[in-house]
C-alpha cells in the first residue's frame, strides 16, 4: 500500500479565509497565492487540509543554473570535455536557430517564376533545421549544460550576419542561405574533430551525422538553383 501523503500544511498557508474575503481578493488580483476554495478539518489524522484548483500565477524565482556552466552528470565524460562540447554546441545551436529563421523568412518572402518550388523547398529545409535545433539543444542538456534558447540571446551569440528587414532579390536570398550553411559547416567540422579528441563521441556523432550531413545536402539543393542554365533552348 502506498505511503500516505502528509496533509499537514504550514501554519502560514493554512489560515482559513471566509468566502467573502476570497472573492474580493480574487477580484483584486491573481498575482498572489491561490484562493483557498475550501478548508476541511477533522481528517483521520487530525490535520487541516485545503483543496483548490487555482494555479499559482506570476511566480518569480532565482536562476538555479547559469548559462555557460555544466552540472556533474554520470555519463563517463570529464567536466572539461562536457564544458568544451557545450560551448561549441551552443555556437552551433545559435547559428542553426538563425539559419532556421532565415529559411522561414525567405520561404515567406520568395518571389518569381520559381516561387512555388522554392517556397516549398525552403520550408522543408526549415523543418530539418528546426529538428536539428532540438537535437543540439538536448545534447547540451544531456551534457549537463544550458542550451541557448531566447532569440535575443541567440542574436548575441550567432556570427551569421543579419539579413535586411526588407526583401532581397531571389539569388541574393539563396546566396545568403548558402553562406550561413558554410559558416555552420566549417565550424561543425572543427567542433566534430575536437570533441572526438576529448572523448565526446556523442557530440561528434551529432555534429557529423546530423549537422554536417543535413547541412551539406541542403547546401547542394540551394547551390543548384544558382546555376545560370537555359530553361528551354541550349
Ligand atoms: Fe509556410
Amino acid at each position: 500500500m502506498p505511503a500516505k501523503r502528509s496533509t499537514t500544511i504550514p501554519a502560514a498557508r493554512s489560515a482559513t479565509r471566509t468566502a467573502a474575503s476570497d472573492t474580493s481578493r480574487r477580484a483584486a488580483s491573481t498575482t498572489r497565492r491561490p484562493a483557498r476554495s475550501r478548508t476541511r478539518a477533522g481528517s483521520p489524522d487530525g490535520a487541516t487540509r485545503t483543496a483548490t484548483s487555482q494555479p499559482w500565477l506570476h511566480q518569480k524565482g532565482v536562476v538555479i543554473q547559469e548559462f555557460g556552466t555544466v552540472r556533474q552528470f554520470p555519463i563517463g565524460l570529464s567536466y572539461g570535455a562536457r564544458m568544451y562540447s557545450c560551448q561549441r554546441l551552443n555556437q552551433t545551436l545559435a547559428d542553426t536557430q538563425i539559419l532556421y529563421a532565415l529559411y522561414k523568412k525567405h520561404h515567406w518572402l520568395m518571389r518569381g517564376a520559381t516561387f512555388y518550388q522554392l517556397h516549398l523547398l525552403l520550408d522543408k529545409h526549415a523543418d530539418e533545421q528546426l529538428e536539428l535545433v532540438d537535437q543540439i539543444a538536448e545534447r547540451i542538456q544531456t551534457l549537463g549544460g544550458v542550451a541557448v534558447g531566447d532569440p535575443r540571446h541567440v542574436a548575441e551569440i550567432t556570427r551569421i550576419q543579419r539579413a535586411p528587414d526588407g526583401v532581397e532579390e531571389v539569388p541574393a536570398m539563396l546566396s545568403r542561405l548558402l553562406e550561413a550553411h558554410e559558416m555552420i559547416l566549417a565550424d561543425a567540422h572543427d567542433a566534430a574533430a575536437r570533441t572526438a579528441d576529448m572523448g565526446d563521441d556523442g557530440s561528434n556523432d551529432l555534429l557529423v551525422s546530423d549537422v554536417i550531413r543535413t547541412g551539406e545536402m541542403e547546401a547542394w539543393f540551394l547551390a543548384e538553383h544558382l546555376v545560370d542554365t537555359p530553361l528551354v533552348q541550349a
Side-chain angles (χ1 to χ4, degrees):
M1 191 172 171
K4 188 175 180 183
R5 286 184 61 189
S6 170
T7 55
T8 304
I9 58 176
R13 291 187 172 191
S14 63
T16 305
R17 296 189 197 135
T18 64
S21 71
D22 272 358
T23 304
S24 62
R25 282 166 193 259
R26 263 199 303 274
S29 171
T30 58
T31 61
R32 296 194 174 181
R33 68 185 56 213
R36 304 281 190 238
S37 62
R38 189 170 300 165
T39 302
R40 288 185 291 209
S43 58
D45 60 1
T48 300
R49 193 153 61 93
T50 59
T52 179
S53 62
Q54 171 60 48
W56 288 61
L57 305 176
H58 307 298
Q59 301 195 52
K60 300 286 186 292
V62 296
V63 172
I64 60 172
Q65 184 184 358
E66 294 290 345
F67 181 77
T69 65
V70 290
R71 291 173 288 163
Q72 288 294 354
F73 274 2
I75 55 173
L77 287 173
S78 70
Y79 172 86
R82 291 181 299 108
M83 177 68 95
Y84 181 79
S85 292
C86 285
Q87 288 170 347
R88 297 302 301 259
L89 290 172
N90 260 320
Q91 182 67 58
T92 307
L93 177 58
D95 293 339
T96 303
Q97 288 184 69
I98 293 296
L99 179 58
Y100 162 74
L102 285 177
Y103 265 121
K104 290 303 284 193
K105 170 182 169 71
H106 295 138
H107 158 74
W108 298 322
L109 303 183
M110 189 47 61
R111 305 287 160 97
T114 57
F115 166 82
Y116 189 55
Q117 177 183 339
L118 282 170
H119 179 70
L120 297 182
L121 179 69
L122 300 195
D123 210 26
K124 175 178 179 288
H125 288 190
D127 287 345
E128 292 166 355
Q129 290 299 318
L130 190 57
E131 177 66 27
L132 285 178
V133 165
D134 202 50
Q135 288 179 283
I136 301 164
E138 291 179 0
R139 179 65 194 166
I140 293 167
Q141 299 308 130
T142 302
L143 294 168
V146 180
V148 58
D150 190 303
R152 291 155 294 191
H153 189 192
V154 168
E156 292 170 6
I157 294 174
T158 188
R159 292 163 303 181
I160 296 174
Q161 208 173 12
R162 178 172 174 163
D165 292 340
V167 183
E168 292 181 289
E169 291 180 300
V170 173
M173 292 186 198
L174 301 180
S175 288
R176 181 177 294 285
L177 291 166
L178 267 177
E179 286 168 13
H181 269 298
E182 187 164 32
M183 179 172 287
I184 292 171
L185 285 167
D187 190 59
H189 281 293
D190 182 69
R194 290 173 186 265
T195 52
D197 286 344
M198 297 185 79
D200 186 355
D201 301 316
S203 294
N204 168 273
D205 180 48
L206 173 65
L207 288 161
V208 173
S209 304
D210 298 297
V211 175
I212 292 175
R213 294 279 193 188
T214 303
E216 286 177 342
M217 180 71 81
E218 292 179 1
W220 170 36
F221 273 68
L222 289 178
E224 294 297 357
H225 287 83
L226 293 175
V227 177
D228 190 7
T229 181
L231 282 177
V232 176
Q233 189 171 7

